[in-house]
Amino acid sequence: MHLRPYRTSRRCKWSGTNASPTSDSNGNCGAVECRRNVFSTIPLNRNVISRKQMSLESDIVERLKSDFDADQFSTALQLLTDSGTTGRVARCIAVAAAGSLDELSLQIGTASTDYRDAILAGEYDDIGMQQIRDLRASFLVDDPLDFWIGELAVFLNSRDFQLVSLESREATAGPFDYTCDRGEGIGTFQRADRTMIISKDNRRWQVIGDAAELQPFQLHIAYDDEDQFRSQLAWMLRRK
């Protein structure tokens, strides 16, 4: 993965403010609200928007159905399907559109130029450019307190699991170095053949289920290390 290079400028090309002592060699003004600060955290993937018509994920279709009036739903669905966007970008477009066909068309056009602008519109607040949602795998991760499940939701989504319910609470055990450290709770994932319930409590990850079924994959115990926990999950999912 690589990031798009930015041209040197004496004025910040994103916020339009004058260069300051905190400016970097690319002319970033250093302001919190500067789009470039946020863009630098979003990898540039030129294949994120397909030229071929692709099916939208079921949760995106349901979101459009709930946000748009019945007489506008078909149009909204066709517009988003024809745009070639899916996954995170399509979710961001749907959230930013907020039930407006005009805004939906605007965000689709924005994404076709630079999809990261659509991600800003869907996941970040308008004032401080702080991320308030994580729409990579689900609409349910819609508050910073829910970010604890984000990476795991992406991992399981790649294996056809969909996050169908999420209960989050303030974490009680630190350190709280990152936003995702602030929350914990229970997430329920489903795919056609099974349901999986994941718990994070006091920084420990565990699958809630039949211990006899989980023991062969060493998932009957809790893990402090999320990466190790995901590795054990991957082992089980490859075998079952």
Side-chain angles (χ1 to χ4, degrees):
M1 295 186 296
H2 63 281
L3 299 178
R4 174 177 293 179
Y6 296 91
R7 294 174 295 179
T8 302
S9 172
R10 298 188 64 183
R11 292 175 65 85
C12 175
K13 65 176 291 188
W14 300 122
S15 66
T17 59
N18 290 325
S20 70
T22 60
S23 300
D24 62 20
S25 60
N26 289 318
N28 171 29
C29 67
V32 173
E33 66 273 20
C34 178
R35 288 199 318 159
R36 185 184 176 278
N37 285 337
V38 181
F39 270 25
S40 67
T41 69
I42 304 175
L44 181 62
N45 179 357
R46 300 186 186 280
N47 298 319
V48 72
I49 298 179
S50 174
R51 294 182 181 275
K52 298 180 180 179
Q53 189 176 81
M54 301 177 67
S55 298
L56 290 171
E57 291 87 340
S58 60
D59 65 321
I60 299 175
V61 176
E62 290 302 315
R63 179 62 178 246
L64 293 177
K65 188 177 294 185
S66 67
D67 283 358
F68 286 86
D69 294 336
D71 59 341
Q72 295 182 329
F73 165 68
S74 295
T75 302
L77 180 61
Q78 192 64 52
L79 284 171
L80 194 52
T81 301
D82 290 347
S83 73
T85 59
T86 58
R88 182 184 190 181
V89 176
R91 290 188 187 93
C92 288
I93 290 172
V95 167
S100 165
L101 286 177
D102 289 341
E103 188 65 24
L104 183 70
S105 297
L106 175 63
Q107 292 299 331
I108 288 172
T110 296
S112 68
T113 301
D114 192 327
Y115 72 88
R116 294 174 298 177
D117 276 317
I119 292 176
L120 290 184
E123 293 189 353
Y124 289 75
D125 66 20
D126 296 330
I127 301 175
M129 282 294 176
Q130 299 297 310
Q131 188 177 14
I132 57 175
R133 303 179 190 89
D134 180 357
L135 303 177
R136 290 176 296 167
S138 173
F139 288 106
L140 297 183
V141 188
D142 62 355
D143 184 273
L145 195 63
D146 299 324
F147 285 6
W148 66 273
I149 198 69
E151 291 297 330
L152 194 63
V154 171
F155 166 77
L156 288 173
N157 186 254
S158 70
R159 288 154 176 81
D160 299 324
F161 281 90
Q162 184 175 344
L163 181 63
V164 295
S165 71
L166 180 62
E167 299 175 12
S168 297
R169 60 181 180 271
E170 292 281 354
T172 56
F176 304 109
D177 297 328
Y178 303 98
T179 304
C180 59
D181 295 330
R182 291 168 42 198
E184 60 185 26
I186 295 177
T188 302
F189 295 84
Q190 285 184 347
R191 73 178 185 189
D193 60 334
R194 68 184 304 164
T195 297
M196 186 180 301
I197 302 175
I198 305 293
S199 168
K200 182 186 179 186
D201 184 44
N202 290 326
R203 300 185 68 85
R204 307 194 75 195
W205 296 84
Q206 189 166 12
V207 178
I208 299 176
D210 185 350
E213 180 183 352
L214 298 171
Q215 187 169 4
F217 308 99
Q218 299 178 26
L219 282 169
H220 61 297
I221 58 175
Y223 287 84
D224 296 321
D225 188 317
E226 182 181 353
D227 290 337
Q228 180 62 37
F229 179 65
R230 285 203 303 267
S231 294
Q232 299 304 126
L233 277 178
W235 178 28
M236 181 179 72
L237 294 174
R238 283 196 301 268
R239 299 288 297 274
K240 300 191 66 170

